[in-house]
Amino acid sequence: MSKMFSLNAKDFFKGLLVAILAGVVTWLLQVIGIPGFSVNSIQWGEILRVAIEAGLAYIAKNYLSNNQGQFAGIGPKN
C-alpha cells in the first residue's frame, strides 16, 4: 500500500482487478435478470461504465488512504 496522496503500480493493478470483477458481476446480474437470455440484450455500455467507475473509485480510495489503510488518515489503526 502506498503513502497518502501517492499511488504505485500495485494500486493500479488492483484497480484493474476491481474493474474487471465489477464488470463480470454486472454482466452476471444482467444474464440472471433477463428472461430468454440473448447476447444482443446485454447492455455492454453499462457494464463498461460500471467497471470504469469501480476501478477509478478503488484508485481514488487508495490515493486518499495512508499506508495503514486509514481513509483520509482517519479511523482505527490496523
Side-chain angles (χ1 to χ4, degrees):
M1 183 170 281
S2 56
K3 297 185 292 184
M4 188 180 291
F5 305 121
S6 67
L7 296 168
N8 58 33
K10 194 173 184 180
D11 294 324
F12 286 103
F13 175 74
K14 287 182 176 181
L16 178 62
L17 183 60
V18 168
I20 291 169
L21 290 173
V24 169
V25 169
T26 304
W27 173 79
L28 285 173
L29 290 173
Q30 285 187 13
V31 169
I32 291 169
I34 299 172
F37 169 72
S38 166
V39 173
N40 294 330
S41 62
I42 296 175
Q43 298 174 358
W44 295 106
E46 180 71 12
I47 292 171
L48 181 62
R49 184 187 63 79
V50 169
I52 290 170
E53 288 173 353
L56 290 175
Y58 181 84
I59 290 172
K61 191 270 310 172
N62 279 2
Y63 184 73
L64 296 172
S65 297
N66 64 17
N67 52 359
Q68 281 86 36
Q70 298 170 314
F71 182 73
I74 302 169
K77 294 183 180 183
N78 293 339

